[in-house]
Amino acid sequence: MPPSVAATGHPENLKYIALAGPTASGKTAVALAVARVRPVEIVSVDSALVYRGMDIGTAKPSLAEQAAVPHHLIDILDPAESYSAAAFVVDATRLIDEIRARGALPLLVGGTMLYFKALFDGIDAMPAADAAVRARIDTEAAALGWPAMHARLAKVDPVTAARLAPQDSQRIQRALEVWESSGQPLSSFHAGENKAAKGLAGGMLFSLEPGDRAWLHARIADRFDAMLAAGFLDEVRALRARGDLSTELPSMRCVGYRQAWEMLDTSGSATPDAKAMNELRERGIAATRQLAKRQITWLRSMPARTVIACDAPDAVQTAVQRIATAA
């Protein structure tokens, strides 16, 4: 059991509750239901919800939902800016203290598992970004392709390479940058060999996980269709029209946004035809399924979690009861 996420039999020792789960597992519905039975404030654990102007494609809680219970770490950055796990830990730790001082329970809700892991296990003392090394890697990738860079990574850091897709340029770039800057594989930092700070103790982790993966796949497809119907493509058009964003930025690499951006690039039209839209739908759903698979893999590596079947008919009621009892 990770030392920072320990079950406690004494409510007064409980500093926060974490509610994690793959995309489309129903985290928002559970969090709002919990808020109806006890005073909580929600801290978003989502690397996409931090960005302003990215509402539809991130399934951001509505303004009414945000008004019903205090939310934090939503709409705090412009899409041209970057956020990190280290920044999240600093922000979340501060918010947990502030929320507790107000007499409420911090409820950390989201699906960015790297943020959860950083909070639970501590911050990795990895090398700072090196612009020169990164530029060199980008130049080589432009000539050789990211699959070739992935193969290079596999030779020096097979553990990290095994969990990355050959086209995951952002993470491959960072892993190679860490190797070239420090002479140590990124996986050695994630394994806890270079910890700069301990994790935050006193939390309990509840995890929404489907027993039937097909149930989650159907939910993902339905939600992507709802996003398209709600004007997701217009949202991406507005972001593109700014002129200062690109798919090289973390914000535009978010699932759905990257696929929509690339479709608009290749379609050559402000109004893509039915074929282009169908391809966008297929690519967006496939990418979201891959994200959900990675999220579930992360969760299964966290032994100190209470699993709740999110595909059960009474999932929300069960989650509320367990969380309320724990609190």
Side-chain angles (χ1 to χ4, degrees):
M1 177 181 293
S4 57
V5 187
T8 173
H10 304 287
E12 64 271 15
N13 294 332
L14 187 64
K15 293 182 179 179
Y16 64 93
I17 283 180
L19 176 63
T23 184
S25 60
K27 297 181 293 293
T28 297
V30 170
L32 293 174
V34 170
R36 288 192 288 269
V37 301
R38 70 157 297 138
V40 301
E41 295 187 27
I42 295 172
V43 178
S44 171
V45 188
D46 191 300
S47 60
L49 295 190
V50 297
Y51 295 114
R52 294 185 290 271
M54 296 172 58
D55 304 329
I56 298 172
T58 61
K60 188 173 291 178
S62 67
L63 293 179
E65 290 170 335
Q66 293 185 49
V69 56
H71 283 68
H72 304 277
L73 300 187
I74 292 178
D75 291 338
I76 61 172
L77 292 179
D78 184 86
E81 299 176 281
S82 297
Y83 199 57
S84 67
F88 167 78
V89 170
V90 171
D91 289 340
T93 301
R94 170 182 54 81
L95 286 165
I96 287 170
D97 289 340
E98 292 174 355
I99 293 167
R100 284 169 52 80
R102 290 191 285 268
L105 177 70
L107 181 59
L108 280 61
V109 182
T112 300
M113 303 307 165
L114 181 60
Y115 289 6
F116 277 122
K117 182 175 177 60
L119 185 69
F120 298 159
D121 296 348
I123 300 298
D124 298 325
M126 286 187 285
D130 187 317
V133 172
R134 183 166 294 186
R136 184 171 69 252
I137 293 170
D138 282 342
T139 299
E140 293 175 0
L144 303 174
W146 284 108
M149 304 303 286
H150 181 267
R152 178 183 300 178
L153 177 64
K155 294 179 180 179
V156 297
D157 187 356
V159 173
T160 298
R163 65 179 180 82
L164 299 182
Q167 295 290 352
D168 193 344
S169 58
Q170 181 181 14
R171 293 179 177 85
I172 294 170
Q173 177 196 61
R174 178 56 178 156
L176 287 171
E177 180 188 10
V178 168
W179 166 257
E180 294 190 19
S181 299
S182 68
Q184 300 180 69
L186 179 64
S187 55
S188 72
F189 294 93
H190 287 169
E193 298 170 16
N194 298 276
K195 292 297 181 188
K198 294 181 179 179
L200 183 63
M204 292 188 68
L205 172 62
F206 292 85
S207 176
L208 298 178
E209 300 176 29
D212 180 6
R213 196 70 63 91
W215 176 90
L216 187 63
H217 288 175
R219 293 257 300 186
I220 287 170
D222 288 345
R223 191 165 79 171
F224 199 82
D225 286 340
M227 289 176 178
L228 289 174
F232 173 50
L233 204 54
D234 288 335
E235 183 173 83
V236 178
R237 287 192 184 100
L239 292 165
R240 285 166 58 91
R242 289 178 35 155
D244 62 339
L245 303 177
S246 74
T247 52
E248 296 304 310
L249 291 167
S251 60
M252 294 300 102
R253 289 180 176 180
C254 291
V255 167
Y257 288 89
R258 182 169 190 165
Q259 288 74 31
W261 191 291
E262 291 173 347
M263 185 272 285
L264 290 170
D265 274 346
T266 58
S267 69
S269 171
T271 55
D273 58 22
K275 179 181 178 181
M277 289 300 297
N278 187 59
E279 290 178 352
L280 168 61
R281 179 182 183 274
E282 291 180 356
R283 292 186 64 222
I285 291 172
T288 310
R289 287 182 177 182
Q290 291 168 2
L291 170 62
K293 182 179 179 180
R294 292 194 298 271
Q295 290 169 317
I296 291 172
T297 299
W298 271 93
L299 284 167
R300 288 177 176 170
S301 72
M302 300 178 181
R305 76 192 195 282
T306 297
V307 177
I308 298 168
C310 58
D311 52 346
D314 60 346
V316 173
Q317 297 92 322
T318 298
V320 171
Q321 181 180 18
R322 292 187 181 181
I323 293 173
T325 300

